[in-house]
Amino acid sequence: MGKSTTLSTREKKSNPLQKIHYTWIYVTERCNLECDYCFFRHMHGREISMDAVEQLFQLFERVNPPRTLICSGGEVFLAKDNLYKILNEVRRRFPTTAPHIQTNGVLINDEDILKLKDLGVSLEFGIDGKPKETIQHRCGLKPASYNRLTETIVKCMKAGIFGGSTMTVHPEEVDHMEESVEHIVSLGIPHVDVTPAAFMPWTPETVASFKKNYLVMSRRPELRKIAYANEDLDWIEPGTMDLSLHPPGYLFGGDPFLCLPENKRVEFTMWDPATFEMRPDILAFYDQAYTEMHQEHARLPYREHVCHSFELMNKMMGEKYMNTWAINDILRFLTRTHLTLGSKKHGQ
Ligand code: SF4
């Protein structure tokens, strides 16, 4: 294990990170699929450093453990040894933290289902609808592996593992949203997070079609109550941040940083990944970003955390890296729709 992260009293006073909300650990950069819309733009095949994980856990002990710890990748089940080490440590050291996994589901076997149930882990499967729509963009998935995925989902739901899914909508698939959600629900999944694919070539026409089709779907009460929109209603107090730990040991103030190239990860990591010393200038940068993310909107009755975090990516990159005009437009629409129609939020 590496050197302990020690903050002096003076550093603590000036440290804007006082409390942790959510934390993501990207266990591996490897994946068995090559989705055309993958948000993880720059994979290098690296694994998470378990020294860095230990340093993160020590940070939890000094500040506070997060409400939810999300293990993600790449595909986490390609790195099962480290995944289970992390989950076992979380259960032992942070009993109030809910462990969660984001997975493409293809590599989960019966033994895993038993372990996950025992560890109290919730699962979030990446599945975009019926085989055609899913295989079309989740490249590497074949009819046989798609069937294995749906069998695994059904087994997990029957085993009583709490599960949801992220349904990523490629602009080419906007006309299939309703049947895609219906299909995912038919597998027993109680929550579907319908998400526009961020880096894809959206046009004003496909954005309009997304909205039109989503509205039709959300007027059906049985579908509306399982669909989750980024309502952005969670208010997190000043000094509270989300964290994400990326291979080999970069630490960031939230989760969208997966799309950053290596030079930007080096520039914006909160701690030095070799010594785990915090970088006060970068902590101050995130503090400012969070202040902007969580301010009340001048005209809207909600905060726009996700929209601001995508704008932050463009700011870090110094260019219009993400097509925020389309993604933020859709996210605002989803928020408005769910507020208007009174849908239930994920996990409630
Ligand atoms: S399964 Fe996830 S990490 Fe892997 S390529 Fe697809 S979107 Fe990217």
XYZ file of all heavy atoms in Angstrom, residues 1-97:
809
model
N 0.828 -1.195 0.000
C 0.000 0.000 0.000
C 0.873 1.260 0.000
O 1.957 1.267 0.574
C -0.919 0.022 1.222
C -1.966 -1.070 1.182
S -3.340 -0.636 0.124
C -3.912 -2.249 -0.369
N 0.414 2.308 -0.625
C 1.231 3.503 -0.798
C 1.203 4.407 0.414
O 0.645 4.091 1.451
N 1.816 5.549 0.218
C 1.920 6.544 1.282
C 0.539 7.091 1.656
O -0.292 7.335 0.782
C 2.796 7.671 0.738
C 3.152 8.701 1.726
C 4.094 9.691 1.057
C 4.249 10.880 1.966
N 4.186 12.112 1.220
N 0.322 7.283 2.938
C -0.984 7.771 3.381
C -1.179 9.253 3.009
O -0.248 10.033 3.041
C -1.064 7.609 4.898
O -2.207 8.225 5.367
N -2.411 9.601 2.631
C -2.724 11.000 2.329
C -2.950 11.723 3.639
O -3.894 11.410 4.352
C -4.018 11.082 1.515
O -3.913 10.193 0.440
C -4.272 12.471 1.020
N -2.071 12.625 3.989
C -2.246 13.311 5.265
C -2.498 14.783 5.028
O -1.759 15.442 4.320
C -0.987 13.148 6.142
O 0.131 13.448 5.349
C -0.880 11.733 6.686
N -3.543 15.276 5.594
C -3.858 16.695 5.482
C -3.574 17.351 6.826
O -4.056 16.886 7.854
C -5.338 16.902 5.134
C -5.810 16.413 3.775
C -7.310 16.641 3.652
C -5.082 17.100 2.652
N -2.760 18.391 6.813
C -2.502 19.115 8.048
C -3.771 19.872 8.441
O -4.685 20.038 7.629
C -1.361 20.108 7.831
O -1.818 21.120 6.963
N -3.792 20.387 9.708
C -4.972 21.137 10.152
C -5.201 22.334 9.238
O -6.333 22.641 8.866
C -4.760 21.633 11.594
O -4.333 20.513 12.338
C -6.029 22.179 12.193
N -4.086 22.986 8.853
C -4.233 24.151 7.980
C -4.825 23.745 6.626
O -5.728 24.373 6.111
C -2.868 24.833 7.799
C -3.020 26.328 7.635
C -1.710 27.051 7.610
N -1.354 27.366 6.244
C -0.239 26.965 5.645
N 0.618 26.228 6.285
N 0.019 27.304 4.418
N -4.298 22.617 6.112
C -4.814 22.147 4.820
C -6.285 21.778 4.943
O -7.076 22.068 4.059
C -4.023 20.924 4.352
C -2.700 21.270 3.709
C -1.876 20.040 3.445
O -1.907 19.106 4.265
O -1.205 20.022 2.414
N -6.643 21.168 6.084
C -8.048 20.781 6.257
C -8.945 22.007 6.223
O -10.006 21.996 5.623
C -8.226 20.049 7.593
C -8.039 18.563 7.481
C -8.335 17.906 8.800
C -7.724 16.523 8.825
N -7.464 16.048 10.164
N -8.453 23.066 6.893
C -9.255 24.292 6.932
C -9.461 24.844 5.530
O -10.527 25.332 5.189
C -8.550 25.333 7.803
C -9.006 25.250 9.252
C -8.494 26.424 10.029
C -8.707 26.172 11.520
N -7.851 27.008 12.327
N -8.393 24.765 4.735
C -8.510 25.337 3.393
C -8.976 24.299 2.374
O -9.106 24.597 1.203
C -7.162 25.913 2.955
O -6.237 24.866 2.900
N -9.209 23.083 2.857
C -9.608 22.027 1.926
C -11.108 22.104 1.666
O -11.905 21.878 2.575
C -9.258 20.667 2.540
C -9.632 19.533 1.613
O -10.116 19.765 0.513
N -9.423 18.322 2.059
N -11.512 22.394 0.446
C -12.954 22.509 0.193
C -13.668 21.154 0.175
O -14.887 21.117 0.176
C -13.007 23.173 -1.189
C -11.684 22.914 -1.815
C -10.698 22.708 -0.721
N -12.919 20.041 0.182
C -13.567 18.728 0.184
C -13.837 18.296 1.628
O -12.947 17.848 2.344
C -12.671 17.694 -0.527
C -13.154 16.241 -0.478
C -14.548 16.105 -1.072
C -12.194 15.341 -1.209
N -15.056 18.480 2.070
C -15.412 18.162 3.453
C -16.279 16.913 3.545
O -16.329 16.253 4.572
C -16.186 19.331 4.091
C -15.456 20.655 4.069
C -14.175 20.623 4.895
O -14.078 19.899 5.868
N -13.184 21.390 4.468
N -16.972 16.628 2.486
C -17.946 15.544 2.539
C -18.063 14.934 1.139
O -17.956 15.668 0.145
C -19.300 16.137 2.953
C -20.132 15.241 3.800
C -21.335 16.012 4.348
C -22.392 14.992 4.735
N -23.707 15.571 4.842
N -18.284 13.611 1.092
C -18.368 12.939 -0.216
C -19.794 12.450 -0.431
O -20.408 11.879 0.459
C -17.380 11.756 -0.269
C -15.946 12.270 -0.050
C -17.478 11.024 -1.606
C -14.950 11.183 0.262
N -20.288 12.647 -1.623
C -21.660 12.269 -1.972
C -21.627 10.902 -2.646
O -21.761 9.865 -2.013
C -22.219 13.376 -2.883
C -23.671 13.295 -3.160
N -24.190 13.393 -4.431
C -24.723 13.144 -2.335
C -25.510 13.305 -4.374
N -25.865 13.157 -3.111
N -21.398 10.833 -3.961
C -21.216 9.560 -4.657
C -19.739 9.373 -4.991
O -19.014 10.363 -5.182
C -21.962 9.552 -5.999
C -23.465 9.471 -5.872
C -24.259 10.602 -6.043
C -24.084 8.265 -5.592
C -25.636 10.534 -5.936
C -25.470 8.189 -5.480
C -26.233 9.318 -5.652
O -27.585 9.251 -5.536
N -19.315 8.106 -5.133
C -17.950 7.842 -5.618
C -17.986 6.726 -6.648
O -18.647 5.701 -6.447
C -17.020 7.428 -4.460
O -16.919 8.520 -3.538
C -15.626 7.102 -4.975
N -17.291 6.950 -7.745
C -17.108 5.917 -8.775
C -15.676 5.404 -8.691
O -14.733 6.201 -8.560
C -17.293 6.495 -10.182
C -18.694 6.761 -10.593
C -19.458 6.004 -11.441
C -19.521 7.880 -10.222
N -20.701 6.577 -11.598
C -20.768 7.723 -10.853
C -19.333 8.995 -9.388
C -21.814 8.640 -10.704
C -20.371 9.896 -9.222
C -21.589 9.712 -9.874
N -15.512 4.088 -8.773
C -14.167 3.524 -8.976
C -14.185 2.824 -10.326
O -14.961 1.871 -10.530
C -13.773 2.524 -7.869
C -13.705 3.219 -6.510
C -12.416 1.880 -8.199
C -13.336 2.286 -5.351
N -13.389 3.320 -11.252
C -13.274 2.668 -12.560
C -12.200 1.592 -12.424
O -11.008 1.879 -12.423
C -12.967 3.710 -13.650
C -14.150 4.633 -13.817
C -14.201 5.878 -13.205
C -15.269 4.198 -14.530
C -15.320 6.686 -13.316
C -16.398 5.010 -14.638
C -16.404 6.246 -14.030
O -17.517 7.044 -14.128
N -12.675 0.352 -12.239
C -11.792 -0.738 -11.819
C -10.815 -1.122 -12.930
O -9.673 -1.475 -12.668
C -12.649 -1.959 -11.375
C -11.766 -3.110 -10.920
C -13.593 -1.542 -10.251
N -11.251 -1.066 -14.165
C -10.382 -1.402 -15.292
C -10.746 -0.541 -16.499
O -11.899 -0.128 -16.652
C -10.502 -2.902 -15.657
O -9.670 -3.177 -16.788
C -11.943 -3.311 -15.975
N -9.751 -0.335 -17.354
C -10.017 0.362 -18.619
C -10.288 -0.639 -19.746
O -10.511 -0.230 -20.876
C -8.816 1.238 -18.997
C -8.628 2.444 -18.102
C -7.465 3.314 -18.548
O -6.497 2.784 -19.112
O -7.538 4.535 -18.332
N -10.216 -1.931 -19.421
C -10.469 -2.937 -20.468
C -11.974 -3.172 -20.617
O -12.724 -3.051 -19.655
C -9.801 -4.266 -20.109
C -8.279 -4.225 -20.193
C -7.685 -5.542 -19.772
N -7.953 -5.828 -18.370
C -8.343 -7.014 -17.903
N -8.513 -8.027 -18.732
N -8.546 -7.203 -16.617
N -12.377 -3.522 -21.824
C -13.785 -3.868 -22.046
C -13.874 -4.960 -23.105
O -13.026 -5.038 -23.987
C -14.595 -2.646 -22.476
S -16.376 -2.995 -22.425
N -14.888 -5.806 -22.975
C -15.095 -6.869 -23.961
C -16.007 -6.404 -25.099
O -16.252 -7.154 -26.033
C -15.678 -8.119 -23.286
C -16.893 -7.800 -22.432
O -17.068 -6.676 -21.979
N -17.740 -8.779 -22.221
N -16.540 -5.186 -25.000
C -17.352 -4.641 -26.096
C -16.675 -3.386 -26.639
O -15.736 -2.865 -26.027
C -18.771 -4.304 -25.615
C -19.600 -5.446 -25.017
C -21.014 -4.964 -24.698
C -19.666 -6.652 -25.943
N -17.167 -2.917 -27.767
C -16.651 -1.656 -28.336
C -17.838 -0.838 -28.812
O -18.032 -0.640 -30.016
C -15.741 -1.946 -29.528
C -14.397 -2.512 -29.156
C -13.553 -2.775 -30.396
O -13.100 -1.789 -31.011
O -13.397 -3.948 -30.751
N -18.637 -0.378 -27.873
C -19.853 0.367 -28.236
C -19.463 1.617 -29.024
O -18.511 2.313 -28.651
C -20.618 0.748 -26.979
S -20.947 -0.677 -25.920
N -20.213 1.887 -30.078
C -19.820 3.031 -30.920
C -20.024 4.365 -30.195
O -19.405 5.363 -30.530
C -20.544 3.011 -32.280
C -22.064 2.999 -32.187
O -22.610 3.189 -31.070
O -22.722 2.800 -33.229
N -20.898 4.366 -29.177
C -21.172 5.615 -28.457
C -20.426 5.720 -27.136
O -20.686 6.624 -26.343
C -22.675 5.777 -28.198
C -23.316 4.585 -27.515
C -22.924 4.179 -26.248
C -24.332 3.862 -28.141
C -23.498 3.096 -25.617
C -24.918 2.776 -27.523
C -24.493 2.399 -26.252
O -25.067 1.328 -25.636
N -19.490 4.799 -26.875
C -18.846 4.723 -25.550
C -18.343 6.099 -25.089
O -17.653 6.805 -25.826
C -17.689 3.734 -25.588
S -16.918 3.507 -23.969
N -18.717 6.447 -23.860
C -18.323 7.737 -23.279
C -16.850 7.722 -22.848
O -16.230 8.759 -22.685
C -19.222 8.001 -22.060
C -19.154 9.404 -21.529
C -19.800 10.440 -22.171
C -18.439 9.688 -20.363
C -19.740 11.739 -21.678
C -18.377 10.974 -19.867
C -19.028 12.008 -20.529
N -16.308 6.518 -22.657
C -14.913 6.340 -22.238
C -14.054 6.467 -23.497
O -13.766 5.491 -24.180
C -14.766 4.949 -21.601
C -13.603 4.801 -20.666
C -13.604 3.775 -19.729
C -12.534 5.668 -20.693
C -12.553 3.613 -18.844
C -11.475 5.524 -19.810
C -11.484 4.481 -18.888
N -13.701 7.702 -23.830
C -13.106 7.988 -25.138
C -11.663 7.535 -25.268
O -11.169 7.382 -26.372
C -13.158 9.506 -25.424
C -14.479 10.166 -25.185
C -15.564 9.712 -26.102
N -15.420 10.213 -27.453
C -16.148 9.774 -28.483
N -17.034 8.820 -28.299
N -15.994 10.278 -29.671
N -10.960 7.417 -24.145
C -9.513 7.161 -24.239
C -9.127 6.037 -23.290
O -8.668 6.274 -22.180
C -8.721 8.432 -23.910
C -9.096 9.586 -24.790
N -8.519 9.792 -26.026
C -10.020 10.569 -24.633
C -9.065 10.868 -26.585
N -9.984 11.343 -25.761
N -9.307 4.799 -23.712
C -8.949 3.653 -22.871
C -7.498 3.260 -23.162
O -7.065 3.285 -24.310
C -9.847 2.467 -23.206
C -11.278 2.610 -22.774
S -12.143 1.053 -23.088
C -13.793 1.466 -22.573
N -6.793 2.896 -22.094
C -5.395 2.495 -22.269
C -5.142 1.084 -21.747
O -3.997 0.691 -21.578
C -4.479 3.490 -21.552
C -4.613 4.891 -22.089
N -3.937 5.325 -23.207
C -5.379 5.934 -21.688
C -4.273 6.594 -23.455
N -5.147 6.977 -22.550
N -6.195 0.350 -21.424
C -6.036 -1.037 -20.969
C -5.475 -1.170 -19.563
O -5.021 -2.243 -19.168
N -5.527 -0.089 -18.773
C -4.920 -0.158 -17.434
C -5.925 -0.618 -16.379
O -7.124 -0.541 -16.584
C -4.382 1.228 -17.035
C -3.275 1.708 -17.924
C -2.921 3.150 -17.657
N -4.008 4.068 -17.970
C -3.871 5.383 -18.067
N -2.697 5.936 -17.854
N -4.898 6.134 -18.361
N -5.372 -1.044 -15.240
C -6.203 -1.453 -14.102
C -6.083 -0.383 -13.015
O -5.105 0.363 -12.975
C -5.709 -2.789 -13.521
C -5.548 -3.895 -14.543
C -6.845 -4.245 -15.244
O -7.849 -4.474 -14.551
O -6.856 -4.287 -16.492
N -7.049 -0.409 -12.116
C -6.946 0.512 -10.983
C -5.824 0.046 -10.065
O -5.604 -1.150 -9.905
C -8.299 0.591 -10.201
C -8.372 1.830 -9.339
C -8.526 -0.656 -9.346
C -8.405 3.105 -10.094
N -5.122 0.984 -9.494
C -4.090 0.646 -8.505
C -4.785 0.403 -7.167
O -5.540 1.263 -6.693
C -3.104 1.804 -8.410
O -2.655 1.959 -7.086
N -4.512 -0.748 -6.543
C -5.151 -1.028 -5.261
C -4.563 -0.137 -4.157
O -5.209 0.085 -3.136
C -5.047 -2.517 -4.909
C -5.860 -3.404 -5.858
S -7.617 -2.908 -6.009
C -8.286 -3.598 -4.493
N -3.358 0.396 -4.382
C -2.824 1.411 -3.455
C -3.706 2.657 -3.493
O -4.011 3.251 -2.456
C -1.404 1.831 -3.869
C -0.365 0.847 -3.365
O -0.736 -0.063 -2.602
O 0.807 1.001 -3.750
N -4.091 3.040 -4.703
C -4.948 4.222 -4.839
C -6.305 3.971 -4.181
O -6.871 4.868 -3.542
C -5.116 4.585 -6.312
N -6.830 2.747 -4.328
C -8.117 2.423 -3.686
C -7.978 2.550 -2.165
O -8.842 3.126 -1.489
C -8.586 0.999 -4.076
C -9.817 0.590 -3.273
C -8.881 0.924 -5.578
N -6.862 2.021 -1.631
C -6.648 2.120 -0.177
C -6.577 3.586 0.269
O -7.134 3.967 1.289
C -5.371 1.360 0.208
C -4.958 1.490 1.673
C -6.048 1.074 2.666
O -6.902 0.239 2.325
O -6.054 1.629 3.800
N -5.898 4.407 -0.522
C -5.821 5.840 -0.186
C -7.201 6.493 -0.218
O -7.530 7.334 0.616
C -4.896 6.572 -1.159
C -3.461 6.129 -1.090
C -2.853 6.364 0.283
O -3.125 7.376 0.918
N -2.052 5.415 0.747
N -8.018 6.082 -1.185
C -9.384 6.610 -1.268
C -10.171 6.198 -0.022
O -10.893 7.012 0.572
C -10.062 6.076 -2.538
C -11.490 6.505 -2.761
C -11.570 7.994 -3.110
C -12.143 5.696 -3.893
N -10.032 4.949 0.385
C -10.759 4.471 1.564
C -10.299 5.227 2.823
O -11.096 5.519 3.711
C -10.587 2.966 1.741
C -11.365 2.152 0.719
C -11.185 0.779 0.613
C -12.284 2.756 -0.132
C -11.895 0.034 -0.315
C -12.996 2.016 -1.061
C -12.796 0.644 -1.155
N -8.991 5.516 2.884
C -8.511 6.305 4.031
C -9.103 7.721 3.997
O -9.396 8.304 5.036
C -6.987 6.352 4.040
C -6.375 5.010 4.415
C -4.857 5.033 4.483
O -4.244 6.085 4.621
N -4.251 3.861 4.380
N -9.286 8.238 2.799
C -9.941 9.548 2.668
C -11.386 9.464 3.169
O -11.862 10.349 3.893
C -9.898 9.994 1.201
C -10.480 11.357 0.859
C -9.683 12.475 1.519
C -10.499 11.573 -0.659
N -12.086 8.387 2.814
C -13.464 8.194 3.322
C -13.455 8.209 4.851
O -14.368 8.752 5.482
C -14.031 6.841 2.900
C -14.336 6.680 1.432
C -14.684 5.422 0.923
C -14.287 7.747 0.551
C -14.977 5.247 -0.416
C -14.572 7.576 -0.794
C -14.913 6.316 -1.274
N -12.439 7.562 5.437
C -12.405 7.479 6.904
C -12.164 8.849 7.536
O -12.632 9.123 8.640
C -11.334 6.459 7.349
C -11.848 5.038 7.196
C -10.753 3.976 7.129
O -9.561 4.323 7.082
O -11.114 2.791 7.107
N -11.447 9.708 6.832
C -11.188 11.045 7.387
C -12.332 12.018 7.119
O -12.614 12.884 7.931
C -9.910 11.627 6.788
C -8.645 11.012 7.322
C -7.454 11.871 6.975
N -7.337 12.111 5.549
C -6.825 11.237 4.683
N -6.426 10.054 5.103
N -6.736 11.529 3.408
N -12.960 11.900 5.949
C -13.995 12.873 5.577
C -15.364 12.270 5.919
O -15.969 12.610 6.916
C -13.868 13.242 4.088
C -14.909 14.263 3.691
C -12.477 13.788 3.787
N -15.829 11.374 5.090
C -17.012 10.556 5.401
C -17.191 9.577 4.254
O -16.783 9.874 3.128
C -18.284 11.407 5.554
C -18.841 11.832 4.212
O -18.173 12.538 3.473
N -20.022 11.392 3.881
N -17.743 8.402 4.499
C -17.940 7.481 3.378
C -19.076 7.972 2.481
O -19.993 8.645 2.956
C -18.300 6.153 4.046
C -18.699 6.486 5.425
C -18.155 7.827 5.779
N -19.017 7.670 1.181
C -20.089 8.128 0.291
C -21.381 7.363 0.539
O -21.367 6.275 1.103
C -19.540 7.801 -1.099
C -18.608 6.664 -0.882
C -18.033 6.850 0.486
N -22.478 7.960 0.077
C -23.768 7.279 0.174
C -23.761 6.021 -0.700
O -24.234 4.967 -0.321
C -24.854 8.248 -0.300
C -26.247 7.720 -0.132
C -27.216 8.860 -0.238
N -27.620 9.080 -1.612
C -28.434 10.051 -1.995
N -28.923 10.895 -1.129
N -28.784 10.193 -3.250
N -23.200 6.158 -1.911
C -23.139 5.033 -2.851
C -21.745 4.962 -3.451
O -21.180 5.988 -3.821
C -24.163 5.243 -3.996
O -25.448 5.466 -3.435
C -24.227 4.041 -4.921
N -21.207 3.737 -3.540
C -19.928 3.544 -4.227
C -20.199 2.705 -5.472
O -20.764 1.615 -5.380
C -18.917 2.839 -3.335
C -17.565 2.710 -4.040
C -16.452 3.295 -3.191
C -17.257 1.284 -4.413
N -19.846 3.249 -6.618
C -20.181 2.629 -7.895
C -18.906 2.073 -8.532
O -17.963 2.822 -8.795
C -20.817 3.681 -8.830
C -22.074 4.254 -8.172
C -21.128 3.090 -10.200
C -22.293 5.710 -8.421
N -18.889 0.763 -8.767
C -17.751 0.156 -9.473
C -18.110 0.084 -10.948
O -19.183 -0.413 -11.315
C -17.464 -1.245 -8.941
S -16.780 -1.229 -7.279
N -17.215 0.593 -11.789
C -17.512 0.662 -13.207
C -16.238 0.412 -13.988
O -15.187 0.122 -13.442
C -18.112 2.042 -13.505
O -18.640 2.091 -14.805
N -16.336 0.539 -15.316
C -15.147 0.327 -16.127
C -15.216 1.205 -17.361
O -15.851 2.263 -17.322
N -14.734 0.676 -18.481
C -14.506 -0.679 -18.931
C -15.578 -1.644 -18.401
O -16.671 -1.213 -18.057
N -15.238 -2.902 -18.445
C -16.158 -3.901 -17.929
C -15.582 -4.474 -16.644
O -14.545 -5.155 -16.672
C -16.400 -5.005 -18.980
C -17.212 -6.169 -18.480
C -18.450 -5.755 -17.684
O -19.183 -4.843 -18.102
O -18.670 -6.368 -16.605
N -16.254 -4.212 -15.534
C -15.708 -4.578 -14.223
C -15.495 -6.070 -14.060
O -14.596 -6.486 -13.339
C -16.607 -4.100 -13.059
C -16.420 -2.653 -12.784
C -18.057 -4.421 -13.305
N -16.326 -6.880 -14.737
C -16.194 -8.323 -14.521
C -15.008 -8.919 -15.292
O -14.751 -10.111 -15.218
C -17.520 -9.045 -14.824
C -18.520 -8.821 -13.720
C -19.419 -7.770 -13.786
C -18.516 -9.613 -12.580
C -20.312 -7.531 -12.749
C -19.395 -9.384 -11.535
C -20.306 -8.338 -11.622
N -14.257 -8.081 -16.008
C -12.964 -8.512 -16.550
C -11.885 -8.392 -15.474
O -10.763 -8.838 -15.675
C -12.565 -7.632 -17.742
C -13.233 -7.935 -19.080
C -12.907 -6.828 -20.075
C -12.811 -9.286 -19.619
N -12.202 -7.755 -14.383
C -11.216 -7.544 -13.306
C -11.846 -8.005 -11.992
O -11.912 -7.259 -11.015
C -10.826 -6.068 -13.245
N -12.315 -9.264 -11.991
C -13.103 -9.748 -10.854
C -12.326 -9.734 -9.550
O -12.898 -9.460 -8.498
C -13.576 -11.181 -11.115
C -14.777 -11.273 -12.024
C -15.319 -12.697 -12.066
C -16.299 -12.824 -13.212
N -16.931 -14.133 -13.297
N -11.022 -10.091 -9.601
C -10.272 -10.167 -8.340
C -10.307 -8.831 -7.617
O -10.662 -8.752 -6.439
C -8.808 -10.563 -8.604
C -8.691 -12.043 -8.930
O -9.730 -12.741 -8.861
O -7.581 -12.490 -9.259
N -9.943 -7.776 -8.344
C -9.949 -6.447 -7.712
C -11.363 -5.999 -7.380
O -11.597 -5.365 -6.346
C -9.280 -5.416 -8.626
C -7.761 -5.516 -8.576
O -7.211 -6.167 -7.679
N -7.092 -4.903 -9.525
N -12.318 -6.329 -8.245
C -13.708 -5.936 -7.988
C -14.176 -6.494 -6.641
O -14.701 -5.751 -5.795
C -14.620 -6.444 -9.117
C -16.115 -6.271 -8.879
C -16.494 -4.790 -8.850
C -16.930 -6.990 -9.962
N -13.964 -7.800 -6.435
C -14.450 -8.398 -5.183
C -13.642 -7.926 -3.974
O -14.187 -7.781 -2.881
C -14.494 -9.929 -5.281
C -15.675 -10.392 -6.116
C -15.489 -11.094 -7.293
C -16.976 -10.094 -5.731
C -16.566 -11.498 -8.074
C -18.066 -10.486 -6.500
C -17.853 -11.186 -7.666
O -18.934 -11.571 -8.427
N -12.333 -7.656 -4.181
C -11.549 -7.087 -3.064
C -12.161 -5.760 -2.631
O -12.329 -5.477 -1.452
C -10.102 -6.839 -3.519
C -9.174 -8.023 -3.332
C -7.750 -7.611 -3.686
C -6.993 -8.826 -4.188
N -5.831 -8.520 -4.998
N -12.489 -4.933 -3.615
C -13.063 -3.607 -3.312
C -14.413 -3.767 -2.604
O -14.676 -3.146 -1.570
C -13.200 -2.779 -4.609
C -11.817 -2.416 -5.144
C -14.045 -1.523 -4.379
C -11.822 -1.871 -6.575
N -15.270 -4.629 -3.153
C -16.613 -4.782 -2.576
C -16.552 -5.335 -1.158
O -17.303 -4.906 -0.273
C -17.460 -5.700 -3.464
C -17.820 -5.140 -4.848
C -18.498 -6.212 -5.693
C -18.727 -3.917 -4.732
N -15.634 -6.300 -0.922
C -15.515 -6.866 0.427
C -15.011 -5.816 1.412
O -15.492 -5.744 2.549
C -14.567 -8.073 0.416
C -15.301 -9.329 -0.071
O -16.378 -9.672 0.428
N -14.749 -9.994 -1.070
N -14.062 -4.996 0.968
C -13.542 -3.933 1.847
C -14.632 -2.913 2.160
O -14.739 -2.423 3.288
C -12.365 -3.211 1.183
C -11.023 -3.880 1.387
C -10.630 -3.944 2.848
O -10.112 -2.954 3.397
O -10.841 -5.024 3.448
N -15.423 -2.573 1.145
C -16.505 -1.598 1.364
C -17.473 -2.145 2.405
O -17.869 -1.438 3.338
C -17.234 -1.274 0.039
C -18.521 -0.500 0.277
C -16.316 -0.470 -0.876
N -17.822 -3.415 2.272
C -18.776 -3.975 3.239
C -18.188 -3.979 4.654
O -18.873 -3.692 5.621
C -19.189 -5.388 2.834
C -20.248 -5.922 3.796
C -21.054 -7.032 3.227
N -20.370 -8.294 3.454
C -20.965 -9.461 3.399
N -22.242 -9.543 3.081
N -20.301 -10.561 3.607
N -16.888 -4.322 4.740
C -16.243 -4.418 6.057
C -16.058 -3.033 6.695
O -16.342 -2.853 7.882
C -14.877 -5.098 5.889
C -14.166 -5.422 7.192
C -12.870 -6.167 6.935
N -11.828 -5.347 6.352
C -11.061 -4.478 7.017
N -11.224 -4.331 8.324
N -10.133 -3.755 6.403
N -15.627 -2.053 5.881
C -15.225 -0.761 6.472
C -16.299 0.315 6.416
O -16.264 1.256 7.215
C -13.959 -0.246 5.780
C -12.746 -1.063 6.193
C -11.570 -0.889 5.262
N -10.907 0.399 5.308
C -9.761 0.653 4.658
N -9.179 -0.313 3.956
N -9.203 1.832 4.722
N -17.219 0.201 5.454
C -18.204 1.295 5.275
C -19.615 0.716 5.166
O -20.223 0.726 4.083
C -17.847 2.112 4.029
C -16.409 2.541 4.000
C -15.512 1.976 3.102
C -15.942 3.485 4.918
C -14.182 2.347 3.105
C -14.610 3.861 4.923
C -13.717 3.293 4.010
N -20.137 0.201 6.264
C -21.438 -0.486 6.190
C -22.596 0.412 5.779
O -23.624 -0.095 5.333
C -21.635 -1.033 7.615
C -20.659 -0.301 8.468
C -19.540 0.147 7.599
N -22.430 1.734 5.883
C -23.546 2.607 5.480
C -23.494 2.942 3.981
O -24.395 3.593 3.466
C -23.524 3.939 6.267
O -22.270 4.593 6.018
C -23.713 3.714 7.757
N -22.437 2.535 3.306
C -22.310 2.832 1.875
C -22.971 1.731 1.045
O -22.720 0.550 1.274
C -20.809 2.931 1.493
O -20.246 4.049 2.170
C -20.618 3.095 -0.002
